[in-house]
Amino acid sequence: MSGFKVNHKQYEKEDRKVEFSSGTIQKVRQIISRYPEGRSASALIPVLHIAQEELGGYLSVDVMDYVAGLLGLLPVEVYEVATFYSQFYLEKTGTYVIEVCRTGPCSICGGEKISEFIGEKLNIAVGETTEDGLFTLKEVECLGACGYAPVMQINTEFYECLTTETAGGIIDMLRKKGEKKEGSRWTDKFF
Amino acid sequence: MDRQILLKNISVPGISSFGPYKSSGGYDSVIKALKEMTPEEIISEIKKSGIRGRGGAGFPMGLKWSFIDKKSTSPKYLVCNADESEPGTFKDRYLMEHLPHLLLEGMIIASYALGAETSYIYVRGEYKYIIGILNRAITEAYSNGFLGKNILGTNYSLDIHVHPGAGAYICGEETALLESLEGKRGNPRIKPPFPALKGLYGSPTVVNNVETLACVGPIIIMGGEAYSTIGLGRSSGTKLISACGNINRPGVYEIELGLSVEDFIYSEKYCGGISNNKKLKAVIPGGSSVPVLPSDLILKTADGKPRLITYESLAEGGFETGTMLGSGGFIVYDEDACMVRNTWNLTRFYHHESCGQCSPCREGTGWMERVLHRIETGEGRWHDLDLLVSIASKIEGNTICPLGDAAAWPVASAIRHFRKEFEFHIANPEIVKDKNHGAIEKYINVRSAV
Ligand SMILES: Cc1cc2nc3c(=O)[nH]c(=O)nc-3n(C[C@H](O)[C@H](O)[C@H](O)COP(=O)(O)O)c2cc1C
Ligand code: FES
């Protein structure tokens, strides 16, 4: 899809252990078992979601290589997929990824103002992350909630029928919460 | 016209859980189908019902099922398309959130009729909480004996799994969806072979939309014949319409096919009229991919008949003066809308979502986006309108999948019906440079008053 960036610079392995816990490995096995024998590639998208959530919030080359090994794929087969889908992040993101819908129905109901307002409030442009690493602002295409426009999604949550006041309130609330991300991981919903 | 089939139990407390769902008559259709009917009898009832696919293309469901290669020794698959990414469409989310068991009911019967023992629900990755709701419903169905080995003591066994997408509109196209389910990029496949012969893992596969599958249970209970009398002519049954944009009551409504567009927009039961007492300017009635129509043509056909919400009536007049029912994503624009800005916005969507396989779509959508952007921002050239029409016509029909057409039609129809607005933009760069210029009508009035 258009707009993705791949860094072709010389790559250095990360200075950390990139691997799942044994509990997560169990979950990965369970996902693989949903597909026929020899079709473990089908587990790639769900496993990448888990990897992104558990191994640092984005898909680094090490993370992708690790997933490739786990599913018996070539690394390039994983890169191909990771670069295609907009929910996979290839660069470090903030704790809260704010994704404001920019498509037609949201846009005629004030979506553009929401994104501008948040950008000004956080003092970042679309695509950037705040210096404290808390927020990344993105504009995304239709989130499938057009009747409740304008809409944004922050990590797992949908926020609908937004005004600049409610959007501001949500950001303040999250800032207060800070790094403490609440609740279970969304990929737990796969089970 | 207010016949409710899918949503009739929507207000029963706890209807998303198995208990309340079952006591409202839920899963009766599965009992009937698995215990009293052969797969052939089920397919025949579906054919009689006349139901057409609700995902956008409107292909008859019974016919699609009958294409499945039953003699093939490979496993058969049913895949539910819950990718719902067509701008303006949010009905499947509503169904899955409130009535997940209605979908499972339809999927169990469909899988049995097709001889599938494993079925998948491909849900767009953004619907994270829906994935949780579906998995909870599936667990309930297993523990109550409606999924798993020997369902209801018959020798039919079925597993249903939820598969998440990861953000790609193109994966709603059925062959791209299958590629994605196989763990690849969502590049649509060349057809034929159609999925009924070679689909998931090269096996016979049926892909149906969430809403289409949700209709299966009710059809089995009432019988295909009875279902076919609901609605109007070849548009049988009811349809979920997701209404959004500048209306008083946006939301998901179940209508009997044949309701007039005017009633739908203005009745208090549905959209409740245009918000802030504004006037209606234009409607895209079937998701962003179908042609936009100005208010006069959406309310009445070119020869003055009331426009009805049916496959046929919306298409009347072809692309000159008609549009399509599509997915039922009903986007309403009021008098303040700038059609150039909206067309640019939607074209940016298609450019972003093009998978990049076919040059006409990959390059053409980006080219149209750039040209529309320069018109919208006061940099347009007189030759740009012909250029846009020419690019659109060269994308249309020249790509592997219909995303190219879906990108071309909105541009072609916007220029066809709102040409004056595009010309005004090119002629008045100083006005349109302000991005909040809105509808151009007000400037024209000002000018003629001077
Ligand atoms: C670009 C594109 C996007 C599509 N998106 C969806 C979608 O999100 N949901 C859907 O059900 N069908 C979608 N379709 C239609 C599917 O290809 C297919 O026709 C449909 O899932 C069949 O189900 P039905 O016969 O029950 O409607 C899309 C088609 C195209 C070309
Ligand atoms: S246009 Fe914003 S959710 Fe659909």
Side-chain angles (χ1 to χ4, degrees), chain B residues 53-57 59 64 81 83-86 92 169-170 172-174 207-209 212 401-403:
Chain B
R54 305 301 197 217
F59 193 82
K64 186 187 277 187
N81 187 342
D83 191 58
E84 185 152 75
S85 315
E86 169 93 0
D92 296 338
Y169 165 66
I170 190 57
E173 194 282 333
E174 57 183 10
V207 181
N208 271 132
N209 170 259
T212 323
C401 91
L403 187 139

Side-chain angles (χ1 to χ4, degrees), chain B residues 103-338:
Chain B
L103 171 61
L104 296 184
E105 211 179 332
M107 285 187 71
I108 297 167
I109 299 170
S111 302
Y112 169 69
L114 298 167
E117 302 204 333
T118 309
S119 298
Y120 297 98
I121 311 177
Y122 184 103
V123 187
R124 66 177 298 181
E126 291 85 348
Y127 285 176
K128 296 172 181 174
Y129 73 106
I130 297 283
I131 291 172
I133 292 173
L134 289 172
N135 273 322
R136 199 175 330 122
I138 288 173
T139 307
E140 288 179 324
Y142 273 103
S143 48
N144 286 282
F146 285 94
L147 281 177
K149 289 238 156 352
N150 302 106
I151 297 174
L152 302 173
T154 66
N155 52 21
Y156 179 62
S157 304
L158 172 67
D159 291 311
I160 294 183
H161 303 293
V162 177
H163 183 96
Y169 165 66
I170 190 57
C171 292
E173 194 282 333
E174 57 183 10
T175 60
L177 185 151
L178 296 175
E179 286 285 297
S180 180
L181 189 44
E182 292 182 7
K184 294 181 260 180
R185 296 166 76 91
N187 287 348
R189 299 173 180 170
I190 293 174
K191 294 192 267 192
F194 288 90
L197 293 182
K198 266 179 178 300
L200 184 61
Y201 311 126
S203 295
T205 303
V206 162
V207 181
N208 271 132
N209 170 259
V210 173
E211 182 188 352
T212 323
L213 287 166
C215 294
V216 171
I219 291 174
I220 291 305
I221 291 294
M222 74 171 81
E225 195 109 2
Y227 188 88
S228 74
T229 63
I230 302 165
L232 190 69
R234 287 190 55 232
S235 293
S236 64
T238 61
K239 173 91 186 81
L240 296 183
I241 306 287
S242 58
C244 62
N246 306 127
I247 46 177
N248 283 320
R249 290 164 37 84
V252 177
Y253 299 101
E254 180 170 18
I255 60 141
E256 184 170 346
L257 286 165
L259 180 75
S260 79
V261 171
E262 183 158 7
D263 277 352
F264 185 68
I265 296 178
Y266 291 103
S267 157
E268 281 308 314
K269 265 198 323 219
Y270 305 111
C271 303
I274 311 302
S275 40
N276 303 316
N277 289 319
K278 303 253 173 175
K279 287 208 262 315
L280 172 67
K281 177 164 187 174
V283 173
I284 302 179
S288 63
S289 304
V290 310
V292 59
L293 287 183
S295 57
D296 51 339
L297 283 176
I298 190 68
L299 297 174
K300 290 205 162 53
T301 61
D303 52 9
K305 287 190 301 242
R307 186 82 76 177
L308 308 178
I309 305 186
T310 62
Y311 294 93
E312 295 76 22
S313 177
L314 283 169
E316 204 175 314
F319 277 5
E320 285 306 309
T321 59
T323 176
M324 283 174 2
L325 175 59
S327 62
F330 199 90
I331 311 171
V332 179
Y333 295 99
D334 72 17
E335 57 188 294
D336 291 341
C338 170

Side-chain angles (χ1 to χ4, degrees), chain A residues 70-85:
Chain A
L70 207 58
L71 297 179
L73 299 170
L74 296 171
V76 68
E77 293 175 300
V78 179
Y79 306 160
E80 278 188 354
V81 166
T83 53
F84 188 83
Y85 296 91

Side-chain angles (χ1 to χ4, degrees), chain A residues 3-184:
Chain A
F4 69 80
K5 275 196 298 203
V6 180
N7 270 331
H8 285 292
K9 62 176 182 244
Q10 268 292 317
Y11 181 71
E12 276 173 35
K13 269 194 114 39
E14 289 172 70
D15 191 16
R16 61 166 179 150
K17 231 189 170 127
V18 171
E19 61 183 32
F20 286 143
S21 66
S22 59
T24 305
I25 297 275
Q26 280 303 320
K27 289 184 188 170
V28 170
R29 289 222 180 89
Q30 198 184 330
I31 291 180
I32 293 174
S33 75
R34 295 172 180 174
Y35 307 98
E37 276 289 315
R39 300 289 180 179
S40 52
S42 276
L44 179 55
I45 289 180
V47 173
L48 283 177
H49 277 300
I50 296 177
Q52 178 162 292
E53 195 165 38
E54 298 206 355
L55 300 176
Y58 74 109
L59 298 176
S60 66
V61 174
D62 282 10
V63 170
M64 292 190 279
D65 291 353
Y66 171 68
V67 169
L70 207 58
L71 297 179
L73 299 170
L74 296 171
V76 68
E77 293 175 300
V78 179
Y79 306 160
E80 278 188 354
V81 166
T83 53
F84 188 83
Y85 296 91
S86 59
Q87 284 186 297
F88 294 136
Y89 309 140
L90 302 176
E91 279 162 29
K92 197 158 176 41
T93 58
T95 308
Y96 300 103
V97 183
I98 306 169
E99 299 184 311
V100 185
C101 173
R102 69 176 191 185
T103 314
C106 276
S107 144
I108 56 170
C109 295
E112 289 172 25
K113 284 195 200 82
I114 300 297
S115 150
E116 269 166 31
F117 170 81
I118 295 177
E120 276 165 28
K121 185 173 168 77
L122 297 174
N123 201 16
I124 49 174
V126 172
E128 290 179 351
T129 300
T130 51
E131 262 169 30
D132 58 6
L134 213 48
F135 297 104
T136 300
L137 176 61
K138 289 179 176 242
E139 283 185 356
V140 295
E141 300 294 353
C142 179
L143 288 164
C146 333
Y148 322 104
V151 178
M152 66 179 174
Q153 188 167 45
I154 304 182
N155 302 355
T156 52
E157 290 303 310
F158 274 89
Y159 297 94
E160 302 174 336
C161 304
L162 292 169
T163 60
T164 47
E165 287 83 60
T166 56
I170 292 158
I171 305 289
D172 291 342
M173 174 196 72
L174 293 175
R175 186 177 277 137
K176 237 186 241 146
K177 244 202 251 172
E179 284 297 333
K180 287 173 282 162
K181 268 204 274 185
E182 215 174 62
S184 56

